Amino acid sequence: MSLWPPDFAGRIDERTIDSRLLRGNPLGDPHRRPLWVYTPPGYDDEPERRYPAVYMLLGFTGTLPAWSNQPGAFRTSVPVATDALFARGEAPPMILVFVDAWTSYGGSQYVDSAGTGRYHSYLCEEVVPWVDARYRTIPDRDHRAIAGKSSGGLGAMITSMLRPDLFGAFATHSGDALSEAQYIPHFLQAVRDLRAYGGDVFTWWDDFRSRTAFTKQEDLRLLEILAVSACFSPGADGTPMLPFDPVTGVLRPEVWERWLRWDPVRMAPAHAEALRSMRAIWIDAGTRDEWFLDLGALAFRDALGRAGVAEDTVRFELFEAGHVAIEYRHPQALAWLAHRLAP
Amino acid sequence: MSLWPPDFAGRIDERTIDSRLLRGNPLGDPHRRPLWVYTPPGYDDEPERRYPAVYMLLGFTGTLPAWSNQPGAFRTSVPVATDALFARGEAPPMILVFVDAWTSYGGSQYVDSAGTGRYHSYLCEEVVPWVDARYRTIPDRDHRAIAGKSSGGLGAMITSMLRPDLFGAFATHSGDALSEAQYIPHFLQAVRDLRAYGGDVFTWWDDFRSRTAFTKQEDLRLLEILAVSACFSPGADGTPMLPFDPVTGVLRPEVWERWLRWDPVRMAPAHAEALRSMRAIWIDAGTRDEWFLDLGALAFRDALGRAGVAEDTVRFELFEAGHVAIEYRHPQALAWLAHRLAP
Amino acid sequence: MSLWPPDFAGRIDERTIDSRLLRGNPLGDPHRRPLWVYTPPGYDDEPERRYPAVYMLLGFTGTLPAWSNQPGAFRTSVPVATDALFARGEAPPMILVFVDAWTSYGGSQYVDSAGTGRYHSYLCEEVVPWVDARYRTIPDRDHRAIAGKSSGGLGAMITSMLRPDLFGAFATHSGDALSEAQYIPHFLQAVRDLRAYGGDVFTWWDDFRSRTAFTKQEDLRLLEILAVSACFSPGADGTPMLPFDPVTGVLRPEVWERWLRWDPVRMAPAHAEALRSMRAIWIDAGTRDEWFLDLGALAFRDALGRAGVAEDTVRFELFEAGHVAIEYRHPQALAWLAHRLAP
Amino acid sequence: MSLWPPDFAGRIDERTIDSRLLRGNPLGDPHRRPLWVYTPPGYDDEPERRYPAVYMLLGFTGTLPAWSNQPGAFRTSVPVATDALFARGEAPPMILVFVDAWTSYGGSQYVDSAGTGRYHSYLCEEVVPWVDARYRTIPDRDHRAIAGKSSGGLGAMITSMLRPDLFGAFATHSGDALSEAQYIPHFLQAVRDLRAYGGDVFTWWDDFRSRTAFTKQEDLRLLEILAVSACFSPGADGTPMLPFDPVTGVLRPEVWERWLRWDPVRMAPAHAEALRSMRAIWIDAGTRDEWFLDLGALAFRDALGRAGVAEDTVRFELFEAGHVAIEYRHPQALAWLAHRLAP
């Protein structure tokens, strides 16, 4: 019985990487990691042909099998929709690499962190070479892109800025950006949530792990804040440090500043050259995104302009939607990238 | 590559039924239908052993592959969670039959309708005998149950009432009930939604089919109303007739009355004997269900009491939640049913 | 010190009526009732001149002094805004009569009720003659109108239908109509509210009266339901009877039916002749009214059409707003009525 | 006809001050300002007796007549409720001074500003001496307090910090504090609002002034932001400068910094001595305040503690409510202050 429909024209290999870098990570999460590699229709018929590759990053709480989820009736999953584009010849074929960077807190934000592990390095130094060694990619940055939604969009932006030698294009859908817009309203609400837990996020965390997850309204909000704290602001021993006082909501500047260092809007000036080197940048977000990532998208585009990125490199769109059920944007961006990256 | 995790102890067979009853259905939907049959751990080792069976019905817009969706991190899908219960010996093993009754409008409500097709008959007269002929069920009503969420819960309730000769137990999670509570607030909002479509639901329907589904906030609400109209109040030619004036919201009594005939709360008195014959009835709903199905659950329980159903037959619970992300209730009910139906 | 600004051109007399009909009312509410009579600029200068009169009804929980409330900055109260229209000659002058029909439950719905008192009769048989005897009105139905917002709009509609001999025109702003749209969503929510009070509205009522009013989110909703029950469905001893089961939300048909008798949409057919006799009817409501009274307005207009009311008698408008802070609609309707009723 | 009920035991004098400091203010607002002075029951009978005085500040968009508004049924206005406390002997009598600091933008935030005028100085240098000269106050800071809600609470906090020589106690109800909590969520929403106005707040402002105020959902939000910009961050010519980019929402640090200078939480350390000199400080807020002023209250209390204010000086409470309809908190605080300030 197959995970994919009968008319699936390409193929998805479900692989496992034994990561050296994730071995002994602080949370005791697995170092053997699943990886899905999609090869497009025709891949086996043209054994000499090489393809651009796009690394696909998951959003917060996402795990690899979610890519195959049936996203409600009347829609298709990202691999199925993208495969159909290739099969119909509407976009030049590419290899897609679905990366797992899950942690016990729900995600890694694709950074190296003393709180979670070296997920940035894992992606750049282990996954990319592993794929290039086993699949017929065009193994250079001009034909390698990275894409994601939400936290995955953050990963696409920051990884491209940090490693322009590896990635020459990226797509971000409702990607984390403009941290005060994204987080402050949620911090404020979290303070109210925490009143039921004596102002202690770890009391909530113990409760959360003792029962069915996400049965309380505050669960996702508190989990996200705890997880990002683990990624961006772990203490010396790896314990997540919240960027605000859990009783008053007052920002803790020294902690909050560590979060801001990962804000793509604030990172852009220092990585202007990397950004100018990109061959293609897709940015989109929903007009009523619950994390105000539409403003994040606008601010990041603005930052690109000030960094000197040429306008025709960037494809920008705000679309009528919130933050969820927007997986249909992926195939649109992939088709656009495919045309830009085609050899 | 498997749809299921390595430690999945049972087995799911993906089968197809060629339905005679759905052939030539009004919407031109397929008459060849997928069916998943789960056999529990040990099924192949004890070739003489027979098992109770539970028929699992999907909610509105659900399709069979949704059962295998990874329901967000920190949770597992219904088959995986239930399989684990059986594997750990926490519940006596059962066969689970995952039924497809999808239509082009998103669902069939598990009724026979001139607007969609004969899905009730398909389930009772084709699926049940087909399964009994091919799997080692205990082929009697005392060991056959039916369960579902939302529209699937409706299916569980009404099918049990109509065919107590086939089903001797059921579970309904946030099942459709108390029609005025469930629908009237949505009708009122739909009237406002339809102002952008000249008050014509078919103008919206044409628009909906021309673009990515569910990108507008009104999509799910209007789709549901149109679909249920197709199921409960088709015109002579099968065209869905709305139960309200789309400009003023005034109920159309002769159409609305047809909807009310499918309200389990209103059906209960006429099917009191069937209900009294049930061996086990599980009813639950979230306290802040967006369709007020918590009130539907309370009202249905009340109707059971008035029909003379013994209190110890019924397991009732309101839990803190809305209407979505409550798939974790299924395994709880299945474990309870398993103990009640065990031979 | 005056209640009114220095440039107020007319005059408001604060009077008191000693009502015979309200004496000994069931709630022990006062039978001496305040009444404000506004006379327009020029009233004292032309001692022979007579004027049309409009009876102004308050919404639920409103009391007479509320008419003089400063409705937030950038706006003026209804008497001040209307006075300015007359002073500037933008509308022919009229007398305005501000009527009090307050009860201990917050309002009377302007009906005669064994639960609250004879407020309909008080208005028609006591207030109108009292005013005509003391002010230079044109004392006939062709020059007497009635207007109100919310419950006041209900009062305007039903009083005109019941006493077309007294009133020849009316204006309803977001007036109660289409009872199922107005009330059912609130009943459903009320059932949830009542869970904290053991399903007993009188437990809430005791709590409500023991503390500062309206400090709990459910207060207004439960008060309104209790008050309307007192008006529309009192028991033999005057005790309010809820039109729904407070635990399940199931409608109690025999009680609900008594509410429906006061639905202007349902009353219209039996009072078609009265409605056809009206000289002017103003209907408006906000497009996002929290009681769906925009649908009520549409349905009432529809009912007028079916009753044979000529289209040019009716002024209809949906405006972008909710249910509150719409007092600015009154002066617009009064100006329109003034032109229609001018002798 | 009186503004006040027959059993009103004290007296309110409606006075006018001709302000020298407001003459020629930037917005052309009146320099003749209304002032209400409440004298308690017994004031005229004991011509030698002197009383503590509390200066009462309005919230944003408030004007003096709003103090007499009938605040919905089942409640009474602040003067009426407080007068009753004095009349019943539940609190030692005080003089109350109701101050007007309205501007064309809706308020002055009680600061001196090149954008609006010298309202802080007007209050401290003109109103206070004027009252002391005409009423039998105890004319020293130990018997002079200041109180307000929302922007009025801000005025109470900052005026006390800036002029401890004038004010020796204060009460703040849901007072502006912790600026990022209060404003950032509203800035983000304002960016979305401004999309309909080309990202230009003055385009909205022109539209706002051309029609009935507050008929659009964005009106209050945009007005507040514009008004506070006029107060806190006027340009050299007095034009309000927004503290954020109206298209991307990115904070403009040099402007935002000017707002933060008026955040009571941030002002407290520099005014620790003034705060320690206070005889009584009342702080409260609703637990679900729409501007998160519950967090502002908590953070301000925290700042008081760090400034060395003795705990028994402070009365702190979070109460179950939002930001509106909380005028009933005033009499509670006034009674408490009365006991603390009684000679």
Side-chain angles (χ1 to χ4, degrees):
Chain A
M1 183 169 115
S2 166
L3 195 56
W4 309 105
D7 59 350
F8 199 73
R11 193 181 69 236
I12 290 189
D13 296 344
E14 194 177 339
R15 310 292 297 262
T16 300
I17 299 189
D18 192 330
S19 166
R20 188 181 50 79
L21 291 165
L22 297 183
R23 205 175 285 259
N25 65 72
L27 299 174
D29 287 322
H31 59 88
R32 289 180 55 84
R33 290 286 170 150
L35 186 82
W36 288 3
V37 183
Y38 166 88
T39 52
Y43 184 84
D44 296 329
D45 306 328
E46 303 181 72
E48 303 302 313
R49 185 168 173 183
R50 289 186 164 270
Y51 302 84
V54 185
Y55 287 74
M56 306 291 291
L57 307 185
L58 286 152
F60 184 63
T61 79
T63 55
L64 223 40
W67 286 110
S68 67
N69 279 0
Q70 165 66 21
F74 300 101
R75 285 194 174 185
T76 49
S77 68
V78 172
V80 170
T82 310
D83 177 74
L85 291 176
F86 295 148
R88 291 196 302 262
E90 292 177 18
M94 303 196 293
I95 288 169
L96 305 179
V97 182
F98 297 92
V99 180
D100 172 64
W102 160 260
T103 75
S104 297
Y105 285 127
S108 68
Q109 302 293 87
Y110 304 97
V111 300
D112 286 352
S113 158
T116 54
R118 301 187 57 192
Y119 289 88
H120 168 74
S121 297
Y122 165 67
L123 169 58
C124 295
E125 296 172 23
E126 295 190 322
V127 175
V128 171
W130 191 99
V131 169
D132 283 342
R134 285 161 183 80
Y135 289 86
R136 295 196 314 275
T137 58
I138 305 174
D140 62 45
R141 60 91 66 186
D142 277 353
H143 299 89
R144 194 184 293 115
I146 185 165
K149 185 218 144 188
S150 196
S151 291
L154 173 74
M157 289 184 275
I158 66 179
T159 309
S160 297
M161 284 193 266
L162 295 173
R163 296 299 302 267
D165 57 314
L166 287 183
F167 296 99
F170 66 89
T172 170
H173 308 284
S174 308
D176 296 13
L178 196 58
S179 305
E180 63 272 41
Q182 177 178 4
Y183 287 119
I184 285 184
H186 292 256
F187 290 169
L188 303 173
Q189 191 54 52
V191 170
R192 290 180 177 168
D193 295 337
L194 287 173
R195 287 175 189 160
Y197 300 94
D200 182 356
V201 74
F202 295 104
T203 301
W204 165 82
W205 177 234
D206 289 343
D207 176 66
F208 176 77
R209 286 184 299 177
S210 73
R211 56 176 169 81
T212 304
F214 303 118
T215 48
K216 296 188 180 172
Q217 292 188 293
E218 62 268 29
D219 280 354
L220 180 58
R221 184 164 38 234
L222 294 177
L223 181 68
E224 184 192 28
I225 292 172
L226 186 62
V228 178
S229 295
C231 298
F232 290 170
S233 54
D237 65 350
T239 306
M241 294 166 59
L242 297 190
F244 56 90
D245 182 303
V247 173
T248 64
V250 173
L251 288 172
R252 292 167 167 161
E254 71 288 357
V255 184
W256 178 231
E257 182 54 40
R258 294 174 69 187
W259 285 48
L260 296 181
R261 275 178 228 150
W262 290 110
D263 179 354
V265 176
R266 289 169 167 88
M267 289 174 71
H271 298 87
E273 190 179 334
L275 289 166
R276 282 195 303 270
S277 79
M278 292 293 134
R279 300 180 65 201
I281 299 175
W282 173 291
I283 306 167
D284 66 20
T287 48
R288 45 186 163 82
D289 188 283
E290 291 82 356
W291 282 261
F292 286 100
L293 295 173
D294 47 335
L295 276 63
L298 286 157
F300 185 61
R301 177 180 63 167
D302 218 47
L304 294 185
R306 271 181 282 110
V309 174
E311 269 191 38
D312 65 0
T313 305
V314 180
R315 168 74 185 272
F316 183 87
E317 188 181 346
L318 294 190
F319 54 96
E320 186 74 19
H323 193 71
V324 298
I326 57 172
E327 76 299 328
Y328 73 95
R329 306 293 304 180
H330 273 301
Q332 299 183 12
L334 288 170
W336 184 79
L337 286 175
H339 285 285
R340 293 275 177 137
L341 301 186
Chain B
M1 181 170 119
S2 167
L3 196 54
W4 309 105
D7 59 351
F8 198 74
R11 193 181 68 237
I12 290 189
D13 295 343
E14 193 176 339
R15 309 294 298 262
T16 301
I17 299 189
D18 191 331
S19 166
R20 187 181 50 78
L21 290 165
L22 296 182
R23 205 174 286 260
N25 67 70
L27 299 174
D29 286 322
H31 59 89
R32 289 179 55 84
R33 289 286 170 150
L35 185 83
W36 289 3
V37 182
Y38 167 87
T39 52
Y43 185 83
D44 296 329
D45 305 329
E46 301 182 72
E48 303 303 313
R49 185 170 174 184
R50 289 188 164 269
Y51 301 85
V54 185
Y55 288 73
M56 305 290 291
L57 307 186
L58 287 152
F60 184 62
T61 79
T63 55
L64 224 39
W67 286 110
S68 67
N69 279 359
Q70 165 67 22
F74 300 99
R75 287 194 172 182
T76 50
S77 68
V78 173
V80 170
T82 310
D83 177 72
L85 291 175
F86 295 147
R88 292 196 301 262
E90 293 177 17
M94 300 195 294
I95 288 170
L96 305 179
V97 182
F98 297 92
V99 180
D100 172 64
W102 161 261
T103 74
S104 298
Y105 285 127
S108 69
Q109 301 294 84
Y110 304 97
V111 300
D112 286 350
S113 158
T116 56
R118 302 188 57 191
Y119 288 90
H120 169 73
S121 298
Y122 164 69
L123 169 58
C124 295
E125 296 173 22
E126 296 190 319
V127 175
V128 171
W130 191 98
V131 169
D132 282 342
R134 287 164 181 79
Y135 289 87
R136 296 197 311 278
T137 57
I138 304 174
D140 61 44
R141 61 89 69 188
D142 278 351
H143 299 89
R144 193 184 292 117
I146 185 164
K149 186 217 143 189
S150 195
S151 291
L154 172 74
M157 289 184 275
I158 64 178
T159 308
S160 298
M161 284 193 266
L162 295 173
R163 296 299 302 268
D165 58 312
L166 288 183
F167 297 98
F170 65 89
T172 170
H173 308 283
S174 310
D176 298 11
L178 197 57
S179 305
E180 64 273 40
Q182 175 178 6
Y183 287 118
I184 285 184
H186 292 257
F187 291 169
L188 303 173
Q189 192 55 53
V191 170
R192 290 181 177 166
D193 295 337
L194 287 172
R195 287 175 188 160
Y197 302 93
D200 182 355
V201 73
F202 295 103
T203 302
W204 166 81
W205 177 236
D206 289 343
D207 175 65
F208 176 77
R209 287 184 297 177
S210 73
R211 54 175 170 83
T212 304
F214 302 118
T215 48
K216 296 190 180 172
Q217 292 188 293
E218 62 268 29
D219 280 355
L220 180 58
R221 183 164 38 235
L222 295 178
L223 181 69
E224 184 193 29
I225 291 172
L226 186 63
V228 178
S229 296
C231 298
F232 290 170
S233 54
D237 64 349
T239 306
M241 293 167 59
L242 298 190
F244 57 90
D245 182 303
V247 173
T248 64
V250 173
L251 288 173
R252 291 167 168 162
E254 72 288 358
V255 185
W256 179 231
E257 183 54 41
R258 294 174 69 187
W259 285 47
L260 296 181
R261 274 179 229 151
W262 290 109
D263 179 355
V265 176
R266 289 169 167 88
M267 287 174 71
H271 297 86
E273 190 179 334
L275 290 166
R276 283 194 303 271
S277 77
M278 292 292 134
R279 301 181 64 202
I281 299 176
W282 173 293
I283 307 168
D284 66 19
T287 49
R288 45 186 161 81
D289 188 283
E290 290 83 355
W291 282 261
F292 287 99
L293 295 173
D294 47 337
L295 276 64
L298 286 157
F300 185 61
R301 177 180 63 165
D302 218 46
L304 293 185
R306 271 180 281 110
V309 175
E311 270 192 35
D312 65 0
T313 305
V314 179
R315 168 76 184 272
F316 182 87
E317 188 181 346
L318 294 190
F319 54 95
E320 186 74 21
H323 193 72
V324 298
I326 56 172
E327 77 299 328
Y328 73 96
R329 306 292 303 181
H330 273 301
Q332 299 184 13
L334 288 170
W336 183 81
L337 286 175
H339 286 286
R340 293 275 176 136
L341 301 186
Chain C
M1 182 169 118
S2 165
L3 195 56
W4 309 105
D7 59 350
F8 199 72
R11 192 180 72 235
I12 290 188
D13 295 344
E14 193 176 339
R15 309 294 297 262
T16 300
I17 299 188
D18 191 331
S19 166
R20 187 180 51 77
L21 291 165
L22 296 182
R23 205 174 285 259
N25 66 71
L27 298 174
D29 287 322
H31 59 88
R32 289 179 55 84
R33 289 286 169 149
L35 185 81
W36 288 3
V37 182
Y38 167 88
T39 52
Y43 184 84
D44 296 330
D45 306 329
E46 303 182 71
E48 301 303 315
R49 185 169 174 183
R50 290 187 163 269
Y51 301 84
V54 185
Y55 287 74
M56 305 291 291
L57 307 185
L58 287 153
F60 184 62
T61 79
T63 56
L64 223 40
W67 286 110
S68 67
N69 279 359
Q70 165 68 19
F74 300 100
R75 286 196 176 183
T76 48
S77 68
V78 173
V80 170
T82 311
D83 177 73
L85 291 175
F86 294 148
R88 291 195 303 262
E90 292 177 19
M94 302 195 293
I95 288 170
L96 305 179
V97 182
F98 297 91
V99 180
D100 172 63
W102 160 261
T103 75
S104 298
Y105 285 127
S108 68
Q109 302 294 86
Y110 305 97
V111 300
D112 286 351
S113 158
T116 56
R118 301 186 58 190
Y119 289 90
H120 168 72
S121 297
Y122 165 67
L123 169 59
C124 295
E125 296 173 23
E126 295 190 321
V127 175
V128 170
W130 191 98
V131 169
D132 282 342
R134 285 163 182 79
Y135 289 87
R136 297 196 311 277
T137 58
I138 305 173
D140 63 43
R141 60 90 66 187
D142 278 351
H143 300 90
R144 194 183 294 116
I146 185 165
K149 184 217 146 189
S150 195
S151 291
L154 173 74
M157 290 184 274
I158 65 179
T159 308
S160 297
M161 284 193 267
L162 295 173
R163 296 300 302 267
D165 58 313
L166 287 184
F167 296 99
F170 66 89
T172 170
H173 308 284
S174 309
D176 296 13
L178 197 57
S179 305
E180 63 272 40
Q182 177 178 5
Y183 287 118
I184 286 184
H186 292 255
F187 291 168
L188 303 173
Q189 191 54 52
V191 170
R192 290 180 176 167
D193 295 337
L194 288 173
R195 287 175 188 160
Y197 301 94
D200 182 355
V201 73
F202 295 104
T203 302
W204 166 83
W205 177 234
D206 289 342
D207 176 66
F208 176 77
R209 286 184 297 176
S210 73
R211 55 175 169 82
T212 304
F214 302 119
T215 48
K216 296 188 180 172
Q217 293 189 295
E218 61 269 29
D219 280 355
L220 180 58
R221 185 165 37 235
L222 294 178
L223 181 68
E224 184 192 28
I225 291 172
L226 186 62
V228 178
S229 295
C231 298
F232 290 170
S233 55
D237 65 350
T239 307
M241 294 166 59
L242 298 190
F244 57 89
D245 182 303
V247 173
T248 65
V250 173
L251 288 173
R252 292 167 167 162
E254 72 288 358
V255 184
W256 178 232
E257 183 54 42
R258 295 174 67 187
W259 285 47
L260 296 182
R261 274 179 230 150
W262 290 110
D263 179 354
V265 176
R266 288 170 167 88
M267 289 174 71
H271 298 87
E273 190 179 334
L275 290 166
R276 282 194 304 270
S277 78
M278 292 293 134
R279 300 181 65 203
I281 299 175
W282 173 292
I283 306 167
D284 66 18
T287 49
R288 44 187 162 80
D289 187 283
E290 290 83 354
W291 283 260
F292 287 100
L293 295 174
D294 48 335
L295 275 63
L298 286 157
F300 186 60
R301 177 180 61 167
D302 219 44
L304 293 185
R306 270 179 282 111
V309 174
E311 270 191 36
D312 65 0
T313 304
V314 180
R315 169 74 183 272
F316 182 88
E317 187 181 347
L318 295 189
F319 53 95
E320 187 75 18
H323 193 70
V324 299
I326 57 172
E327 77 298 329
Y328 72 96
R329 306 293 304 179
H330 273 301
Q332 299 182 13
L334 287 170
W336 183 80
L337 286 175
H339 285 286
R340 293 274 177 138
L341 301 187
Chain D
M1 182 170 114
S2 166
L3 194 56
W4 309 104
D7 60 350
F8 199 73
R11 194 181 69 236
I12 290 190
D13 296 344
E14 193 176 340
R15 308 294 296 261
T16 301
I17 299 189
D18 192 330
S19 165
R20 185 181 51 77
L21 290 165
L22 296 183
R23 206 175 285 261
N25 66 71
L27 298 174
D29 287 322
H31 58 90
R32 289 180 55 83
R33 289 286 170 149
L35 186 82
W36 289 2
V37 182
Y38 166 88
T39 52
Y43 184 84
D44 295 330
D45 305 327
E46 302 182 74
E48 302 303 312
R49 186 170 172 182
R50 289 188 165 268
Y51 301 84
V54 185
Y55 288 73
M56 306 291 290
L57 308 186
L58 287 152
F60 184 62
T61 78
T63 56
L64 223 39
W67 286 109
S68 66
N69 279 359
Q70 165 67 21
F74 301 100
R75 288 194 172 183
T76 49
S77 69
V78 173
V80 170
T82 310
D83 177 72
L85 290 175
F86 295 148
R88 292 195 301 262
E90 293 177 18
M94 302 195 293
I95 288 170
L96 305 180
V97 183
F98 297 92
V99 181
D100 172 63
W102 160 261
T103 74
S104 297
Y105 285 128
S108 69
Q109 301 295 85
Y110 304 97
V111 300
D112 286 351
S113 158
T116 56
R118 303 187 57 192
Y119 289 89
H120 169 73
S121 297
Y122 165 68
L123 169 58
C124 295
E125 296 173 22
E126 296 190 320
V127 176
V128 172
W130 190 97
V131 169
D132 283 342
R134 286 164 182 79
Y135 289 87
R136 296 196 313 276
T137 58
I138 305 174
D140 61 46
R141 60 90 69 186
D142 277 351
H143 300 88
R144 194 183 292 115
I146 185 165
K149 186 217 143 189
S150 194
S151 290
L154 173 74
M157 290 184 274
I158 65 179
T159 308
S160 298
M161 284 193 266
L162 295 173
R163 295 300 301 268
D165 57 313
L166 288 183
F167 296 99
F170 66 89
T172 169
H173 307 285
S174 309
D176 296 13
L178 196 58
S179 306
E180 62 273 40
Q182 176 178 5
Y183 287 118
I184 285 184
H186 291 257
F187 291 169
L188 303 173
Q189 192 55 54
V191 170
R192 289 180 177 167
D193 295 336
L194 288 173
R195 286 175 188 159
Y197 301 93
D200 182 356
V201 74
F202 295 104
T203 301
W204 165 81
W205 177 236
D206 290 342
D207 175 66
F208 177 77
R209 286 184 297 177
S210 72
R211 54 174 169 83
T212 305
F214 302 119
T215 48
K216 296 189 179 172
Q217 294 189 291
E218 62 267 30
D219 280 354
L220 180 58
R221 183 163 40 235
L222 295 178
L223 181 69
E224 184 192 29
I225 292 171
L226 186 62
V228 179
S229 296
C231 297
F232 290 170
S233 55
D237 64 350
T239 307
M241 293 167 59
L242 297 190
F244 57 89
D245 181 303
V247 173
T248 64
V250 173
L251 288 173
R252 293 166 168 162
E254 71 288 358
V255 184
W256 179 230
E257 183 54 41
R258 294 174 68 187
W259 285 47
L260 296 182
R261 273 179 230 150
W262 290 109
D263 179 355
V265 177
R266 288 170 167 87
M267 287 175 71
H271 297 88
E273 191 178 334
L275 290 166
R276 282 194 304 270
S277 77
M278 292 293 133
R279 301 180 65 202
I281 299 175
W282 173 291
I283 306 167
D284 67 18
T287 49
R288 45 186 161 81
D289 187 283
E290 291 82 356
W291 282 261
F292 287 98
L293 295 173
D294 48 336
L295 276 65
L298 287 157
F300 185 61
R301 177 180 63 165
D302 217 48
L304 293 185
R306 270 179 282 111
V309 174
E311 269 191 37
D312 66 0
T313 305
V314 179
R315 168 75 184 271
F316 182 87
E317 187 181 347
L318 295 190
F319 54 95
E320 187 72 21
H323 192 71
V324 299
I326 57 172
E327 76 300 327
Y328 73 96
R329 306 293 303 180
H330 273 301
Q332 300 183 11
L334 288 170
W336 184 80
L337 285 175
H339 286 285
R340 294 275 177 136
L341 302 187

